[in-house]
Amino acid sequence: MKCSLRIPVPNLLAAFALAVVVFVSPKVDAAAPFQHLQAPGFFRMMLGDFEITTLYDGDVNLDMHLMQANEQLLAPLLKADFSDTKFYKGYVCGFLINTGSRLILVDAGSGGHWGPPTLGKLLANLKASGYQPEQVDTVLITHLHPDHVPGIELPDGNRAFPNAKIRMARAESDFWLSKSTQTKAPPEAQEFFDIAQKAAAPYIKAGQWLPFDGDTELLPGIMPIPIAGHTPGHTGYEVSSKGQVLLIWGDVVHAEPVQIPHPEITIAFDADSESARISRQDLFQSLSSSGKLIAGPHMPFPAIGHIRKDADGYVWVPIPYIGSLPD
C-alpha cells in the first residue's frame, strides 16, 4: 500500500526557506573590525565673550615613586580612583583662547620632541578644532618644561606658530636659557635645558621670544599670576570676560586623585617642594571659596572644572560636556 505525505504549499515554502538558511547560506562574520580611532581631542566652552578650547596633547604613565608620599597613603587614593597604584595615567593639555580679536594659546605641549608617542597631538587637535597655527598671535607659556614648551617648534626646527609672540615670565626664560645655569644642573636635568633652548631658538632669531616682568595685564582680559614652587618662574594665567573668570594654573597638580584630596603631597618635579605645597594649599582654599573655574594642563580631559572643599580635603568637579555653543 502506498502512503503519501501532503504538505500544504505555504508550509512547504517555509520549510524550504528554513533549510536554505540552515544548510545553504554561507558563513557570515557578524563582528565589525576594531577601529582603534578616537574623536579629535578638543573641547570648547564660552567664558563671557571669550571662546575657550581645551587641546589634548596626549597621555603619559606617571611613576608614582615621583610623588613625595609613602605608599600606604598613595595606594588607597589611587585604588579609590580605580587607577593603577604604580603608574598613574597622566594627561597633558593646552588651552586656546579666542577673544574675538586675538587668538592666544596657553602652553603648546610636547610637540613630539619629548616623551612617549602618546604625546605630541596638540597641533593636530588645534587644526581639528577649526583653527590653523598661523592664526595664533600669542603663545603664553606657564613654564619651560618639555611637556609645555617644545610644541612651539616643528620637527624640522621651524616655528610651529610663525605669527605668534612667545611670552613667559622673565625668571623662567633666564633660568632655562642660561648655559651657566645648565652646567650646574644635575645630569638628569640636562635634557630639559636642551629642549627649552632648542624650542626658543627660532623665535629668538625672529624677535618673537618676549619674556615679561611683573604681573601687569598682558592682553585685554588676561593677567599673569605667579605661582611659586614648581619652577623659578612658574606662572598661571587668569582669563576674565564679562565677570566670568578662569585660572589656567599650570603645574599646580600632576596627579588629580592624589593631590586634590591631599594638596600637601608634592612631586619630584617641583624645584622648591615647600613653596609648591604652600602655593597649592593657598590656591585650593581661595578657589574653593570663590568658585572660580580652573583649567589644569594635567587634569583629566577636558581639564576644566572647580575645586570643592569637603570634610576630608578637596574634590575636583569637572564641567559637563557641552554639545553646542551659542552663535
Side-chain angles (χ1 to χ4, degrees):
M1 182 175 87
K2 272 188 170 182
C3 181
S4 64
L5 177 64
R6 293 180 177 273
I7 302 175
V9 171
N11 291 349
L12 183 62
L13 291 175
F16 177 73
L18 179 62
V20 169
V21 170
V22 175
F23 300 110
V24 179
S25 66
K27 182 181 178 182
V28 177
D29 186 1
F34 291 113
Q35 294 300 311
H36 299 294
L37 297 173
Q38 187 58 280
F42 70 88
F43 172 86
R44 189 162 283 145
M45 61 165 281
M46 295 300 295
L47 183 85
D49 288 333
F50 292 178
E51 178 195 81
I52 310 293
T53 306
T54 302
L55 300 174
Y56 189 64
D57 191 62
D59 57 77
V60 61
N61 287 327
L62 182 64
D63 190 337
M64 285 292 95
H65 287 107
L66 295 168
M67 305 305 299
Q68 296 179 333
N70 62 57
E71 189 174 348
Q72 287 71 33
L73 175 59
L74 292 177
L77 294 171
L78 293 162
K79 286 179 180 177
D81 192 63
F82 298 95
S83 295
D84 188 287
T85 58
K86 303 297 183 185
F87 292 94
Y88 170 69
K89 181 66 73 176
Y91 312 90
V92 179
C93 296
F95 303 93
L96 194 66
I97 307 163
N98 189 339
T99 70
S101 60
R102 310 293 295 267
L103 190 61
I104 303 146
L105 177 65
V106 180
D107 284 343
S110 72
H113 298 281
W114 177 83
T118 51
L119 293 178
K121 297 172 171 48
L122 185 144
L123 197 61
N125 284 321
L126 183 146
K127 294 175 183 177
S129 76
Y131 293 104
Q132 294 300 315
E134 292 79 11
Q135 294 175 289
V136 176
D137 57 71
T138 307
V139 179
L140 302 176
I141 303 294
T142 60
H143 62 296
L144 270 59
H145 272 174
D147 51 339
H148 295 261
V149 71
I152 64 174
E153 180 196 8
L154 293 172
D156 62 6
N158 287 317
R159 292 165 290 160
F161 303 98
N163 300 314
K165 297 174 181 177
I166 314 297
R167 316 230 41 204
M168 75 302 301
R170 188 173 301 280
E172 191 72 10
S173 178
D174 288 350
F175 180 83
W176 293 106
L177 302 192
S178 168
K179 289 293 185 182
S180 62
T181 301
Q182 182 176 4
T183 59
K184 301 169 189 173
E188 62 270 20
Q190 293 299 315
E191 182 187 21
F192 283 29
F193 284 89
D194 290 338
I195 288 173
Q197 291 166 18
K198 186 172 181 293
Y203 293 91
I204 292 173
K205 184 177 180 180
Q208 294 168 252
W209 185 266
L210 301 172
F212 58 80
D213 296 291
D215 55 359
T216 56
E217 189 176 54
L218 297 174
L219 297 161
I222 300 181
M223 285 280 297
I225 307 294
I227 303 175
H230 186 56
T231 58
H234 182 249
T235 301
Y237 296 96
E238 190 170 86
V239 185
S240 305
S241 176
K242 283 197 167 179
Q244 298 182 32
V245 181
L246 169 73
L247 174 64
I248 303 173
W249 70 10
D251 280 16
V252 170
V253 170
H254 288 83
E256 177 257 330
V258 172
Q259 291 177 294
I260 294 290
H262 285 273
E264 76 279 6
I265 296 178
T266 58
I267 191 168
F269 295 137
D270 292 333
D272 183 341
S273 294
E274 182 62 11
S275 292
R277 177 189 65 77
I278 293 169
S279 292
R280 184 165 40 255
Q281 291 176 318
D282 288 348
L283 272 174
F284 280 20
Q285 183 176 9
S286 170
L287 292 167
S288 63
S289 297
S290 68
K292 286 181 184 177
L293 271 172
I294 303 153
H298 299 308
M299 302 302 286
F301 189 83
I304 299 177
H306 299 270
I307 286 281
R308 186 184 74 229
K309 184 78 173 70
D310 74 359
D312 298 321
Y314 295 90
V315 177
W316 174 250
V317 184
I319 62 169
Y321 176 77
I322 300 167
S324 60
L325 298 181
D327 294 331

